[in-house]
Amino acid sequence: MKIPTILVASVAAACGLVGLGALSQSADGAATPPEQDQTYQMYANVDAEGDLGSNHDAVKVSLDAADHVYTIKFAHTISHCAATVQAGRAGGSDPVLAASSVVAQSGTGAFVTRFTDPDGNTINDPFMITVTCIK
């Protein structure tokens, strides 16, 4: 008994044996995996006074002392990036206060962050910011 080709293809697709678009072919006919988004990370260790410590692709940090807002400028655009900030020593003798942080993009190349103590007062605190981006 001859099974129609269309039936075999339908059964194979239903069983997951054939994935539409799972592989493509290069010019020489070899199968190549689909292109995936690539990510990269940048980071900066910053002390409570706004001095930049160890970093990767961080260019500059400024501190608005009146508002306790740190602006961290990076070498690459941050339009496809997310950042996390964690209070902690960036070297030196700064004490780490029990602080929570807020971080947001500022333009296309910088993040801003601010720390508050348990009473809700804005404070200066050493921290590390890690930025993950999609190329």
Side-chain angles (χ1 to χ4, degrees), residues 39-109:
T39 61
Y40 63 95
Q41 287 190 319
M42 302 180 288
Y43 69 88
N45 283 304
V46 181
D47 70 12
E49 292 78 30
D51 296 322
L52 181 60
S54 62
N55 71 85
H56 178 69
D57 289 336
V59 181
K60 176 183 168 185
V61 176
S62 59
L63 171 62
D64 178 343
D67 290 329
H68 304 278
V69 174
Y70 297 89
T71 302
I72 307 95
K73 173 86 172 123
F74 288 93
H76 304 285
T77 182
I78 59 163
S79 58
H80 293 95
C81 302
T84 58
V85 173
Q86 180 176 350
R89 288 189 181 180
S93 60
D94 289 330
V96 179
L97 306 172
S100 61
S101 63
V102 175
V103 63
Q105 288 186 349
S106 176
T108 60

Side-chain angles (χ1 to χ4, degrees), residues 101-119:
S101 63
V102 175
V103 63
Q105 288 186 349
S106 176
T108 60
F111 281 95
V112 293
T113 190
R114 174 189 299 193
F115 296 93
T116 55
D117 68 12
D119 296 325

